Amino acid sequence: MKTLFEHAKVLLMDEAGSVLDDAFVAVEGTTISYVGPLPPEGDYSECIDATGKLLMPGLVNAHTHVPMTLLRSYGGGCDLDTWLHQYIFPVEEKLDQRAVRAGTQLALAELIASGVTCIADMYMFCDVIAEEVVAAGLSANLARGLTLFSEDFDPERHQGFCDMRELAEHWHGRNEGQILVDACIHGEYTSHPKLWSAVSAFAKEHALGMHVHLSETRAEQEACLARYGKTPTQVLDDYGIWGTRAIAAHGVWTTPEDWEVLASRGVTVVHNPVSNLKLGSGMAPIAAMKQAGVRIALGTDGVASNNSHDLFEEIKLAALLQSGVTGDPTALSATEVLRMATVEGAEALGRNTGRVAQGYVADLILVDMKRPHLTPCHNLEDTLVFAARGSDVVLNMARGQIIYRDGVYKTLNFEQTRREVERYALPLLFG
Ligand SMILES: [Zn+2]
């Protein structure tokens, strides 16, 4: 399969921030084979006229919990602790594979239509999620969220640990890396050091990444200090949790001392501004963390605390928050935020994507720049960050395959999914 995009404006997401005005981008198989101002040689099975459209890398949503889309707008108006224990955990206990499948399909439909080509997910029933991701066509780093609420830990009997081991055996690297499996602890506050030792050893042994919730709330930070005399970042470091490629969601209450640890270990903090604000958790000092050398990516978190999977909302809010909090409109530039949502998110997940360049995975989206709210466009990156919406995406190509075009899903049957959600999943969870 060879596809050629013709006459596109192209945002390369290279170091120089280059934009090509009337360019050609060729895709062969799953890879970008050519980017340039002149048509490349050769025959193409499909040529796409991209006049008036922007071709850019697909977005990377580096922290979500896709099946939680079934809980959209459930438990609103609560802090994290109340929301989790009184609303989320009791409903999650009723989940089964079929409901998770429906919730995953629903989430993927929303993600694909708003320009996401790659996700990092933490949840349960990860086999089902992996199957649906492969069928939908995008890429995912999947992590089985592990908890341990007592000292009693046997890796041969702990359900989550066994699930993680099987997930890694069956799925890690599947389809030339379409699925990667990350090791995981749900968070410091939901687990015990015995689990941390075992999980970090497992990640090192199998060369897996790591996915953790970190310092989301003030209460989490303070309880950890009281328990161990150290912050979550520091105590998890003692147990080697940051010993492989790692993503840490939130980091809202991390300290400058924590940033030194995170920077030195190469940990990427995933910023989820909408979820953090909605739950009243706070605002992560992203500009200061970047200054301190911490890598940053962007995520939506689960839709139950967002209530949307539109990463363009996070992009806009991330930029606005840092300007507002610091009083400096240059604190986090439009370019920096777009990098967080593309190339830096991709690096955080250990993936060769997030840029429009020869040899990179062909994760590409087209944005319709003729929309009223995108006209005129004096500055492309400023327009994308502050004016664009997920619904401006008119084409999603993941791993070289067009999976969404002009409102039509090519790999999903959304009507079937909607019926399954309404007739099976919602009655199961909410009666
Ligand atoms: Zn989360």
Side-chain angles (χ1 to χ4, degrees):
M1 187 73 187
K2 291 172 76 176
T3 307
L4 180 64
F5 292 94
E6 302 175 310
H7 305 296
K9 184 185 275 281
V10 183
L11 179 62
L12 298 178
M13 293 313 304
D14 60 1
E15 291 292 333
S18 310
V19 178
L20 308 181
D21 264 331
D22 182 8
F24 294 79
V25 174
V27 173
E28 291 189 39
T30 60
T31 308
I32 298 169
S33 56
Y34 171 85
V35 181
L38 299 171
E41 304 260 319
D43 296 325
Y44 289 86
S45 36
E46 181 161 22
C47 295
I48 297 171
D49 180 8
T51 305
K53 301 189 175 72
L54 171 72
L55 183 74
M56 65 176 283
L59 303 180
V60 178
N61 186 339
H63 180 67
T64 183
H65 314 277
V66 283
M68 292 182 83
T69 306
L70 294 171
L71 283 68
R72 192 192 313 266
S73 75
Y74 181 66
C78 296
D79 60 42
L80 179 77
D81 195 57
T82 311
W83 175 81
L84 267 182
H85 289 94
Q86 291 187 19
Y87 290 87
I88 303 304
F89 288 159
V91 172
E92 285 182 330
E93 277 181 18
K94 301 179 196 168
L95 279 169
D96 65 7
Q97 289 202 359
R98 186 173 162 186
V100 165
R101 193 176 299 282
T104 300
Q105 290 170 356
L106 176 63
L108 296 179
E110 187 183 6
L111 287 158
I112 288 168
S114 56
V116 169
T117 51
C118 185
I119 62 170
D121 197 86
M122 182 201 294
Y123 211 61
M124 307 163 284
F125 300 100
C126 297
D127 285 315
V128 175
I129 299 171
E131 287 166 10
E132 293 305 319
V133 166
V134 167
L138 64 177
S139 302
N141 285 42
L142 300 180
R144 170 63 160 92
L146 300 194
T147 57
L148 181 67
F149 292 102
S150 73
E151 287 191 27
D152 184 20
F153 177 69
D154 175 352
E156 300 304 321
R157 293 201 342 257
H158 185 279
Q159 185 63 52
F161 201 88
C162 294
D163 288 353
M164 178 178 70
R165 192 188 294 124
E166 285 174 20
L167 187 72
E169 279 172 12
H170 288 124
W171 287 100
H172 184 57
R174 183 74 75 94
N175 285 0
E176 299 176 352
Q178 181 176 6
I179 301 289
L180 296 178
V181 172
D182 291 340
C184 175
I185 56 165
H186 174 272
E188 177 278 328
Y189 67 107
T190 50
S191 56
H192 186 276
K194 283 188 176 170
L195 183 68
W196 308 340
S197 299
V199 170
S200 66
F202 183 81
K204 281 187 199 109
E205 185 185 342
H206 298 279
L208 303 180
M210 183 72 69
H211 193 163
V212 180
H213 286 116
L214 183 75
S215 300
E216 182 172 1
T217 64
R218 185 201 291 261
E220 174 191 338
Q221 189 85 350
E222 290 178 351
C224 184
L225 278 167
R227 215 166 10 245
Y228 301 108
K230 295 183 176 184
T231 65
T233 298
Q234 293 155 16
V235 74
L236 293 177
D237 188 46
D238 289 346
Y239 287 83
I241 289 292
W242 314 130
T244 58
R245 175 187 55 74
I247 51 176
H250 308 305
V252 174
W253 293 93
T254 49
T255 64
E257 292 75 29
D258 292 341
W259 304 341
E260 277 183 34
V261 174
L262 296 168
S264 71
R265 300 284 186 243
V267 177
T268 299
V269 169
V270 184
H271 184 35
N272 304 270
V274 173
S275 173
N276 295 154
L277 290 179
K278 183 157 192 284
L279 292 169
S281 300
M283 290 175 279
I286 294 302
M289 291 163 84
K290 276 184 76 75
Q291 280 276 323
V294 180
R295 296 157 174 253
I296 310 288
L298 269 187
T300 53
D301 208 353
V303 160
S305 60
N306 187 302
N307 297 351
S308 152
H309 258 140
D310 185 350
L311 204 71
F312 280 97
E313 289 185 0
E314 310 290 332
I315 288 171
K316 179 172 183 175
L317 188 56
L320 289 176
L321 276 179
Q322 298 309 307
S323 300
V325 168
T326 63
D328 173 7
T330 67
L332 189 66
S333 70
T335 307
E336 286 175 296
V337 184
L338 286 172
R339 288 183 61 81
M340 287 157 49
T342 54
V343 61
E344 286 167 13
E347 285 171 9
L349 304 191
R351 291 182 174 280
N352 184 36
T353 184
R355 286 183 55 185
V356 185
Q358 189 179 356
Y360 276 65
V361 173
D363 291 335
L364 302 167
I365 58 175
L366 282 180
V367 179
D368 182 0
M369 299 302 289
K370 298 285 192 197
R371 303 273 166 99
H373 59 276
L374 303 181
T375 307
C377 176
H378 293 293
N379 178 290
L380 179 61
E381 291 171 334
D382 223 58
T383 300
L384 283 175
V385 169
F386 295 106
R389 307 163 187 157
S391 54
D392 298 325
V393 173
V394 291
L395 181 145
N396 186 324
M397 169 183 272
R399 307 183 70 79
Q401 179 190 11
I402 295 171
I403 59 174
Y404 175 83
R405 190 171 184 181
D406 298 327
V408 178
Y409 295 101
K410 307 291 187 184
T411 53
L412 298 173
N413 183 335
F414 180 65
E415 270 312 302
Q416 202 174 65
T417 297
R418 201 179 51 75
R419 278 199 301 276
E420 180 73 353
V421 167
E422 286 180 1
R423 292 178 190 174
Y424 181 78
L426 296 181
L428 176 76
L429 301 183
F430 299 101

